[in-house]
Amino acid sequence: MVKGVNGSGKSTFLRLLTGLIHPPVKGLFWEGEELKRQNLLLYQQNLLYVGHKLCLHHDALLNDQLCLWQGLYNISKASLEYALQIWGVAAFKNKKISHLSQGQQKRLSLSRCSWLNRSLWILDEPHVGLDLEGKVTLDHILNHHQQKNGLVILATHDPVSTSKEIIL
Amino acid sequence: MIRREVRHLYLHKGTLFATLTFFALSLFCVSLALGPEEKILRLTTPALCWILAILTTLFSTPLLLKDEAQQGLLDEILLQPLLPAFTLLSKIGAESLLLGFPLIIFGGLFSPFFALSFSETLTLALTLLIGFPALSALGILGGLLTLNTRGGGILIALLILPLTLPLFLLSLICMEKVRLDLDSLPPFCLLMGVALLLTIISVSAGSWALRFAVEE
Amino acid sequence: MSISTPYLTYILGAYGVTLFSLCLFLGWTIFQWKKSIHQLNNSSHET
Amino acid sequence: MKYRWARPNFFLKITTPLLPVSFILTLLFLTGGLYLGLIASPPDYLQGDGMRIMYVHVPASWIASLIYAFLALMSFFAFVWRHLLAEVLAISSVPIGALFTGLSLVTGALWGKPMWGTYWVWDARLTSVLVLLFLYGGYWALYKSYSRPEQGIRAASLLALVGVINLPIIKGSVEWWNTLHQPASLIKLSSPSIDPSMLTPLLLMAGAYFFYFITLLMIRTRTELNTRKLLILEAKK
């Protein structure tokens, strides 16, 4: 878990960890190996990044978004729909994404935690914009992931039960 | 993959429609301004078509890119296992299909009104068809370079218009040769080569630009 | 060069424009340089 | 250190004595060139005294292209290795290059008026010089429109590299387009046998321009380095 006051560089740090930003001084290491061109791709295949920007197509219907995801990540439709049900947004399938509320969009974006099978999760303030019920769902899923030996790197201001804290 | 990008681009049908309308309307406006003289129209229409095609791509492509950047979709491209250059290529393909084809058909349909003969129309359509992917690639490059700047629109024209010059001039040479009933094959081959080269250069430069555009 | 050449205005114009703009640019550059040194001194004194 | 020559402090140290030297060289070459060009050299048998404009015009075009080559090289270094010095050198050379391109256009127009009767023709050479001016302008505009210089320089470097690849293509296409549109009625400068009495002032002027470029490059680089330092100082506060 990454903590820090506003503007201390949490988001930048997380983006650095995803390899999207070129590290200015030293390289990025994962499991003892420095990440270069070749293994950076492998590493990125292993991580899930949900940032402040939600990676949703605003003009699309939710259904279209599902189709795009299906094509992009080779995911079966059933697992997608299952994930949407967990996050409670399955009912809005024929709505435009820009017509969904902020919280619903955030849920939709976070739903990739449930359908994308990756071991390292990098989440940038996932609690923001979620209601109480959503936060419970999120914590539940995070715990479940950790029990499966998954790794979560999380930037947040909310109290979460974790093992390690990095304070920026 | 191109199908995915087509589907993606289709979401922006409003912008595409507006762009096409812009193309058609300005073509009519300029020809009204030039007067009904057939000789002048015949001489100027190919150039007009090309300039308008350049402008429409230069202004619409970056608009779409900016939209994607705001949603964070460019991160998604970079986190894919595929090289970003391929994604950019498929974007170009999608744009050629959804914007380029209608544009060419438009031009082809209306060129008889501008006193172009059949062979001239055909040449115009062919040169546009070949040049469009390169234009779209240059537009993407410009859009990515100006993504994090203040006031991108005019800047793109300043950056990219000089680079589109070869395509434009070579097509006009083709048109002129056809009009004078000369052999138009050599400029046509040259045009193909230049278009291919420009596409390759700007796609590879674009994939670099993409990398540091998301670092913001 | 003979003074009565018909191109005198153009020749003098070309040389004049060249020298004038070279000098102007030099002056502007030196002005900027001095200004930056001045600013740097100011701000390092403050800190 | 591997990149000792590329460190700003080292650059400042070696250019401190070089600056007056190159400035004096500029003055020397300039006086020599001006004297020979304006007064001592014989008038051309075809163009008369109008030929004298050549001595300020042609070297300006040479230097303008040279600076673009320099800019592209520095952009390459800046883009690949992210050297601070290369970035600063690149951005410092742009206004000088634009100045020489502009001068080449203006003096060319002043030459063209008495020789061909118009200030401007859409000749291949003229058009490609104009495109060069646009490329410089684009580089500068792109650099300036980023709020942080280190980001702007990378975008601009990429543009300069694309530009340098495209420049021959642009030039070629413009040339071809012109051969179709108008017969080449202009007197070609690049005649193989140029008289030494004309070549000397030409080369002297080229030397003057070159050292002028070097002098200004050093001054501008210092200015730019100061500005960067100032930014860092302000960020620390």
Side-chain angles (χ1 to χ4, degrees), chain D residues 38-130:
Chain D
L38 264 181
I39 298 157
S41 72
D44 187 59
Y45 72 99
L46 252 181
Q47 302 194 359
D49 279 327
M51 190 65 178
R52 294 179 194 282
I53 298 178
M54 183 186 85
Y55 303 131
V56 283
H57 167 70
V58 174
S61 328
W62 288 350
I63 294 291
S65 338
L66 181 83
I67 296 177
Y68 197 80
F70 176 79
L71 173 67
L73 190 69
M74 285 303 128
S75 297
F76 181 71
F77 288 149
F79 190 72
V80 176
W81 289 293
R82 302 188 184 194
H83 276 170
L84 175 71
L85 189 64
E87 293 176 3
V88 173
L89 280 174
I91 196 65
S92 311
S93 65
V94 172
I96 316 175
L99 172 81
F100 277 116
T101 318
L103 272 182
S104 152
L105 284 175
V106 172
T107 53
L110 283 174
W111 192 14
K113 183 64 183 171
M115 293 299 119
W116 315 324
T118 57
Y119 286 110
W120 182 265
V121 281
W122 288 102
D123 166 58
R125 265 172 203 237
L126 274 69
T127 315
S128 38
V129 173
L130 193 65

Side-chain angles (χ1 to χ4, degrees), chain B residues 145 148-150 155 158-159 162-163 165-166 169-170 173 176-177 187 194 197-198 201 205 208-209 212 215-216, chain D residues 79 131 134 138 141-142 144-146 148 151 154-155 158-159 162 165-166 169-170 173-174 176-177 180-181:
Chain B
L145 282 177
N148 296 321
T149 59
R150 299 165 247 138
L155 196 59
L158 176 62
L159 304 181
L163 303 182
L165 212 66
L169 291 184
L170 282 173
I173 292 173
E176 193 144 321
K177 294 239 170 171
V194 167
L197 200 67
L198 275 181
I201 292 170
W208 279 104
F212 62 72
E215 283 194 10
E216 174 76 338
Chain D
F79 190 72
V131 169
F134 285 140
L142 187 59
K144 279 292 165 191
S145 62
Y146 274 84
R148 281 191 300 176
Q151 274 188 328
R154 271 200 290 157
L158 201 55
L159 183 74
V162 174
I165 300 170
N166 278 349
I169 306 176
I170 294 173
S173 65
V174 169
W176 216 33
W177 171 64
L180 199 79
H181 270 257

Side-chain angles (χ1 to χ4, degrees), chain C residues 16-28:
Chain C
V17 164
T18 306
L19 291 179
F20 179 70
S21 48
L22 288 187
C23 289
L24 195 70
F25 192 71
L26 181 70
W28 181 58

Side-chain angles (χ1 to χ4, degrees), chain A residues 1 25 36 40 58 60 79 95 97 124 131 135 158 167:
Chain A
M1 161 151 131
V25 190
K36 293 257 175 67
L40 182 66
H58 259 207
S79 61
K95 261 192 154 180
I97 286 182
D124 196 354
D131 56 8
K135 283 180 187 174
D158 287 29
I167 296 178

Side-chain angles (χ1 to χ4, degrees), chain B:
Chain B
M1 203 164 136
I2 289 182
R3 216 177 64 206
R4 195 175 72 222
E5 288 295 336
V6 166
R7 193 180 266 166
H8 181 165
L9 198 63
Y10 187 66
L11 296 172
H12 298 278
K13 31 189 182 306
T15 318
L16 291 182
F17 181 72
T19 317
L20 276 175
T21 322
F22 166 75
F23 177 75
L25 268 181
S26 22
L27 198 59
F28 287 136
C29 282
V30 179
S31 29
L32 276 179
L34 287 173
E37 185 91 36
E38 280 204 348
K39 232 165 123 189
I40 300 176
L41 281 181
R42 196 174 167 206
L43 278 172
T44 47
T45 311
L48 280 179
C49 265
W50 256 92
I51 290 175
L52 286 174
I54 290 173
L55 286 181
T56 45
T57 40
L58 283 196
F59 287 117
S60 70
T61 319
L63 218 68
L64 301 176
L65 272 174
K66 202 139 203 160
D67 216 40
E68 282 185 36
Q70 261 165 11
Q71 311 301 331
L73 290 165
L74 295 183
D75 296 353
E76 207 176 28
I77 293 177
L78 278 178
L79 290 175
Q80 291 304 308
L82 230 64
L83 278 178
F86 285 107
T87 316
L88 291 186
L89 270 179
S90 62
K91 269 190 192 312
I92 292 165
E95 202 177 65
S96 308
L97 278 178
L98 284 191
L99 188 61
F101 261 133
L103 213 137
I104 290 162
I105 290 168
F106 241 74
L109 269 181
F110 287 109
S111 37
F113 299 153
F114 298 114
L116 292 183
S117 68
F118 178 70
S119 61
E120 282 170 280
T121 311
L122 197 67
T123 324
L124 182 63
L126 270 178
T127 54
L128 274 174
L129 185 68
I130 287 164
F132 196 86
L135 286 184
S136 156
L138 282 169
I140 284 181
L141 174 65
L144 286 172
L145 282 177
T146 54
L147 205 58
N148 296 321
T149 59
R150 299 165 247 138
I154 300 299
L155 196 59
I156 293 166
L158 176 62
L159 304 181
I160 301 299
L161 265 182
L163 303 182
T164 56
L165 212 66
L167 291 172
F168 173 56
L169 291 184
L170 282 173
S171 326
L172 290 190
I173 292 173
C174 274
M175 290 302 297
E176 193 144 321
K177 294 239 170 171
V178 169
R179 191 169 60 236
L180 300 174
D181 268 334
L182 294 171
D183 180 20
S184 66
L185 197 62
F188 196 70
C189 292
L190 211 58
L191 175 69
M192 281 203 272
V194 167
L196 192 66
L197 200 67
L198 275 181
T199 315
I200 292 170
I201 292 170
S202 34
V203 162
S204 44
S207 62
W208 279 104
L210 179 64
R211 268 189 206 130
F212 62 72
V214 300
E215 283 194 10
E216 174 76 338

